[in-house]
Amino acid sequence: MDSSQDLPKPPGRSDLGGKPPKYDNMNSGGGGGGRIKVIVMVVILLLLLSCAIGGIVVWLAFKKVTMPQFMVQRLAVSNFNMHGGFVDDQAVLSTDMELLMEADNRDGMIGTEFRSMVMEVRWDEHNARLGEAEVPVFTQKSGSTTVMKINTHGEADILKKQLAKEDMKLELSISGNVVFFWGPFKTKDYPFMVSCSDISVASANSVCDSKLYSSHAPSPPRRAPAAAPEGSETPTPPPPTDTSPPEQSPPETPPPTASPPLKPKDPSQAPAPATPSKPKGPPEAAPTSPKGPQDRTEAASPPKPKGPPVRLLVHDAEVVLDNGISQVMFSKPGGFVTGIKYNGIENILGIQLPEDDRGYWDVVWAPPGTKGTKGKFERVKASTFRVITEKQDQIEISFLKTYNAALKGKDYPLDVDQRYIMMSGVSGLYAYSIVERKNWPGLNIPNLRLAFKLDKDKFNYVVVADNRQRDMPQPDDRLPPRGQVLAYPEAVLLVNPIKEQFKGEVDDKYQYSDESQDIRVHGWICKDPPTGFWQITPSYEFRAGGPNKQFLTSHVGPSTLAMFVSAHYSGEELIPKFADDEPWKKVLGPVFMYFNSAPKGQDYHLLWDDAKKKMTEEVQSWPYDFPASEDFPKANQRANVGGRLFVHDSFLTPEKVPAKGSFVGLAPPGEVGSWQRDCKGYQFWTQTDEEGRFVINNVRPGDYNLYGWTNGYVGDFKHDALISLKIGHNVDLGDLLFKPTRDGPTLWEIGEAERTAKEFFVPDPNPKYVNKLYVNHPDKFRQYGLWERYAELYPKEDLVYTVNISDYRKDWFYAQVTRKVGNDYNGSTWQVKFKLDNVDPKGVYKLRLALASATNAELEVRMNEPPPAPFIFSSGRIGNDNSIARHGIHGLFWMYNIDIEGSKLKQGDNIMYLTQVKSSSPFQGIMYDYIRLEGPATSAPR
């Protein structure tokens, strides 16, 4: 508007000859008309500004308006018809339906506009989708009633028998967005959903039950194709016209509380008891087992939280799962997790990364016969997308990668069916994979895992355990010139990090590893807004190597890993190796990616407390009852084994005693201790109670041996009988006896028989290579470069230990490593000095030599004759677990029972020489667990 037309003309001036002055003469000196013009324009501008401010206030107030009095007054079905027939020789069921929805807007001022509506008809008895219709936008004025008519026609190839129309019961849902308006002002989209069931010909023109959600409900579902039978493919429809995600923030959900424990509690799946030196999550005592396995009550998942239905959106290149709490986006058909929207964060994954490098399964593979642990790294890229289960409270989807025989040598001969499950009211995502081989070429698999990489600008606080959590550096800090690579690429000295607080520290992903039995929950925290991303593993039955096999967890990236197969801390011996035509099938998981949040201003550490509670809930609900795959047996498809274990070492106690705290487990049949190197089957472990009793619940049907060991005793336990389990079996093995390895009385011993070197002397790190997390920490062995401290402590002469004088906690270095001399490395020879009061020259003494780790090592034993005298025992080259470099205090366990002829010993002073021969790198060496010299077997027990 031209404001000059509205201004009053100034009065005439007699002193100017009666002629009015020119109106635009703004610069006339001292003219009264100019002043009036300025005043008037200022008044007009103030009025316009007031109107604008008032409009903004009204608009803001309207945007905050709560959902008006909108309701669906009547929902009726008419003209419902169905018939069977054949289309292209395929039996189909066709339906025709007309829906009348009468919406009543009671508000006399605010109008309603319906958008993005979809109606879907399903026949849930056969899990079939019979039709879907897009509904055009229509507007309902204030204070009016509108009737909307929708027609739909659908077909399904499921006609297997003649059906009477009266017997067919359908479900119908209509969903969309409602926008309220007043004049030119409009609110955001409010999603709604209406559903009705038991629709039949008989109920045509009747009113269906309906439900209208509040403003916190999810956006309407865009349905994918009906679930296909396992092993078949389902084509996907073209993408819907409206693909925008809901604008509202996800609703706040209260922290979950732990469900009551199952009866009987499942000790094989419960977290291991916490120890004072290594707290792990919520402390739990070792489970008390009943006298035998109990009659099975079907384990169930925790009560499912009530929430809005889960929706599935399927587009040309993307799939979205949304339960109103979080949205998870996948590439289609590749199956990469490209985004997770939660707690107001548009994407908690690494938006700086390519879409295939945010959430993915990956495999390292090599042709058969390949030596070592190397192989080709590939992310698992699927070629087929399917909907497996689609219900209002649960959706399970599949991304299937199939082996292409035409690419022999270039494609790994393995099918990988990646499954993801989203549940209504559950804040997170379940994931598992079914890996399968058929009669295909051979294959080695050094590594198989599920990885998530989070937004590096938001998630900077890692948590692995109660006493292992800290602020973390950025991934950019590891790159030159900010970071300096040390002895191997994973270890980096932070010389110029983005944040000064990390300067001078060492970052290494192996410093955050843990044992399988303790990897229950770990993850990352974003401090603003307080948000947690957690990987929860409710069972480790599907992981290789037993309860004390070590795996990676979370590390700088920020990355969170779910490891299933790994050569870390074990080497080539724990790589699944398949010959040509060797079949294999295994279910890996499910594991749970849990998302939680806290209000701004609250202590972000509470997110860890909540994650531990959620972990307990998931552990107690194992095995889950909701995965659709028939390859994952539910609780009522499993078996239970119980018994009581005693231990009897006649040189320690006259009678057998309960083997309390022993590890007991079912693993594939094999030799004594073979469970430790098993990587193809399933394993089920627990610990005995104070009376030696144990129950292993929820065991998959199959053939097993029972294995075990007891700390403080030498050797492995194996029950001789093959245990064949079928569905529903409850096997009570009764009393079992473990006779530890023993020939004669103990003459002397070093260490503790616990399969770790943790009790020995672990030095402080070089001050130049410190991780502050492990300063004054019980896990001091996780510091970088400790192997180099040996040469500093013993620059010229090797370790000498004197029995009954030296203290292994102070005088026995935790690892027998090489010593660097110039540019070369030399082996080392340790001496053990001991005295014998009497010696039987014709007797045979026994040396028990238990190793906690070995890396490309060779151990030679000599008695009273130093090298280069002939050795009385050589291990040969053993081990490749690399635990020295990877800050592990143990790797694979090795046990040697060595005969020592009495003629090699002397009455009085003796010296045993332990030589580690291999010496081409700083990481070669061994860790001892326990050493014991026994007298001849004829000696009386004492």
Side-chain angles (χ1 to χ4, degrees), residues 406-423:
L407 297 176
K408 182 179 180 181
K410 297 182 179 180
D411 184 22
Y412 51 96
L414 191 70
D415 283 354
V416 183
D417 188 357
Q418 306 165 76
R419 300 289 185 92
Y420 295 96
I421 304 172
M422 180 172 278
M423 312 284 286

Side-chain angles (χ1 to χ4, degrees), residues 82-200:
M82 56 165 279
H83 64 274
F86 288 85
V87 176
D88 296 331
D89 297 325
Q90 174 65 52
V92 299
L93 177 71
S94 297
T95 60
D96 296 281
M97 186 180 303
E98 185 177 85
L99 174 76
L100 297 176
M101 187 181 88
E102 185 174 315
D104 182 14
N105 184 6
R106 302 179 185 180
D107 198 299
M109 296 181 63
I110 298 177
T112 310
E113 182 176 285
F114 296 84
R115 299 177 175 179
S116 309
M117 289 188 294
V118 175
M119 186 186 78
E120 182 184 7
V121 183
R122 298 182 61 83
W123 186 15
D124 273 3
E125 181 181 351
H126 287 264
N127 199 24
R129 172 178 161 277
L130 299 182
E132 179 177 285
E134 298 280 349
V135 184
V137 173
F138 75 97
T139 302
Q140 182 181 24
K141 296 181 180 180
S142 59
S144 67
T145 299
T146 304
V147 177
M148 176 182 60
K149 182 184 293 185
I150 313 168
N151 294 290
T152 181
H153 171 80
E155 294 180 347
D157 55 350
I158 55 173
L159 186 63
K160 297 181 179 178
K161 62 179 180 180
Q162 294 297 322
L163 294 172
K165 297 179 182 179
E166 298 78 19
D167 297 334
M168 186 174 180
K169 303 291 184 180
L170 302 183
E171 290 192 356
L172 176 148
S173 66
I174 181 168
S175 56
N177 291 330
V178 178
V179 175
F180 301 100
F181 62 89
W182 177 62
F185 303 113
K186 292 186 178 182
T187 66
K188 66 179 182 180
D189 289 3
Y190 287 85
F192 75 95
M193 179 178 289
V194 182
S195 60
C196 52
S197 58
D198 293 336
I199 303 172
S200 68

Side-chain angles (χ1 to χ4, degrees), residues 881-898:
D881 61 42
N882 218 12
S883 296
I884 295 172
R886 289 173 175 157
H887 327 294
I889 202 63
H890 71 83
L892 289 182
F893 177 74
W894 303 78
M895 185 69 212
Y896 296 103
N897 301 299
I898 304 166

